[in-house]
Amino acid sequence: MEEAKLTERGRKGGRGAGRSRSCASSDVPCRCQPALKSRMDLDVVNMFVIAGGTLAIPILAFVASFLLWPSALIRIYYWYWRRTLGMQVRYVHHEDYQFCYSFRGRPGQRPSILMLHGFSAHKDMWLSVVKFLPKNLHLICVDMPGHEGTTRSSLDDLSIDGQVKRIHQFVECLKLNKKPFHLVGTSMGGHVAGVYAAYYPSDVCSLSLVCPAGLQCSSDNQFIQRLRELQKSAAVEKIPLIPSTPEEMSEMLQLCSYVRFKVPQQILQGLVDVRIPHNNFYRKLFLEIASEKSRYCLHQNMGKIKVPTQIIWGKQDQVLDVSGADVLAKSIANCQVELLENCGHSVVMERPRKTAKLIVDFFASLYNTDSKKLD
């Protein structure tokens, strides 16, 4: 009888041990399951912490750059944009003078395009237009004398004549005038481009001037009147196109643009930080191009321009009056004018797609090319 009881207990013990060993696959709750779940939860938390930390590093770096070094962020932005658009930066020397430029494509059957930027800008200002220009065109954007990567010398002649001669040296260094090229210029760059076409007619086959300086209009706008008052008072520190604070930068943007947009304070600070080290040069340059020798240089030479010419101007330009377009049209025989509604002085920045289309259409009409083939 006792042996039978022991045997029965043994069977029960065996069945209990079996349940214990197979608890992971049983529907009966087990003490080891909460521990396993805890370990799994901890692994998931660790995974998210690691992933979050990995993402946080670039985000924090961006935020720190935005708050502490906005000027560095702006430079990185231009570098990235050049790379995306396939623009390569190169240097070329004329004796001891260095020119910095960016380019895309190679010379071909169609004329190359040389682009000259405006006062206190640089070659990268054209990137917004380059984005919409065909990739099979040979494009060259050069830093004007004293700007960005091009040599800045206290002995350099910064007058319009002096800048034209420097650009001619650049053209000869690249042998760009082996075949006549299409020349584009805006504001001060348009002034230089127009005079270049008058001085070196065999170099240029066609011309696009975007709200160029250097013209004498029948009446002065408010900006020109203000400049005259500053010249009389010798208050060169207050030239509106040479900001020294974020507030002055905001005012300059409003002066140059028709569209009113709010720029974050940190971006304004970054734009000012980039410019401040160069402001003394900008003042010297501005006084030179506004002097009697240079002020109306394009006006004095526009009758010598013989190549087909395109004029692009914002109707709401507050810096250079749009009536200048009519002045050019009356003096240049083969000239077409495009006036843009709701656009100010910064045509290249405000209407880049439209600017690119106008240049391409003009280019195609001159060289018997279907603009659709310019891809």
Side-chain angles (χ1 to χ4, degrees), residues 114 167-177 181 196:
L114 174 61
I167 295 301
H168 184 59
Q169 290 171 356
F170 170 72
V171 165
E172 291 193 317
C173 284
L174 292 188
K175 295 181 171 54
L176 193 60
N177 52 356
F181 55 88
Y196 188 103

Side-chain angles (χ1 to χ4, degrees), residues 62-89:
F62 176 83
V63 172
S65 298
F66 182 76
L67 296 175
L68 302 177
W69 305 288
S71 58
L73 200 61
I74 291 169
R75 293 182 188 280
I76 292 171
Y77 167 76
Y78 280 125
W79 171 84
Y80 176 78
W81 205 0
R82 281 198 306 268
R83 187 179 179 87
T84 301
L85 295 176
M87 297 292 287
Q88 301 179 56
V89 176

Side-chain angles (χ1 to χ4, degrees), residues 36-51:
L36 181 61
K37 186 178 180 183
S38 296
R39 283 197 299 272
M40 290 177 65
D41 289 345
L42 186 60
D43 289 341
V44 171
V45 170
N46 287 336
M47 180 181 71
F48 277 109
V49 168
I50 293 169

Side-chain angles (χ1 to χ4, degrees), residues 92-99 144-146 150-153 156 166 169:
V92 69
H93 294 82
H94 174 80
E95 297 176 351
D96 60 346
Y97 195 89
Q98 173 180 276
F99 294 97
M144 298 292 282
T150 292
T151 295
R152 179 179 301 172
S153 169
D156 214 5
R166 282 297 188 196
Q169 290 171 356

Side-chain angles (χ1 to χ4, degrees), residues 38 41 69-70 78 118 126 164 171 205 221 243 296 299 311 315 365:
S38 296
D41 289 345
W69 305 288
Y78 280 125
W126 291 108
V164 168
V171 165
C205 59
N221 61 17
Y296 302 127
H299 196 100
I311 310 298
K315 279 191 175 181
S365 69

Side-chain angles (χ1 to χ4, degrees), residues 13-14 68 105 118 127 166 179 195 213 215 223 268 275 310 340 352:
L68 302 177
L127 292 175
R166 282 297 188 196
K179 180 181 176 182
V195 176
L215 297 169
F223 174 71
L268 290 172
R275 294 172 65 99
Q310 174 187 50
L340 305 185

Side-chain angles (χ1 to χ4, degrees), residues 20-21 71 91 98-99 102 119-120 138 140 151 226 277 345:
S20 177
R21 282 191 300 270
S71 58
Y91 298 88
Q98 173 180 276
F99 294 97
S102 61
F119 170 79
S120 76
H138 180 219
I140 300 169
T151 295
R226 184 179 174 188
H345 184 66

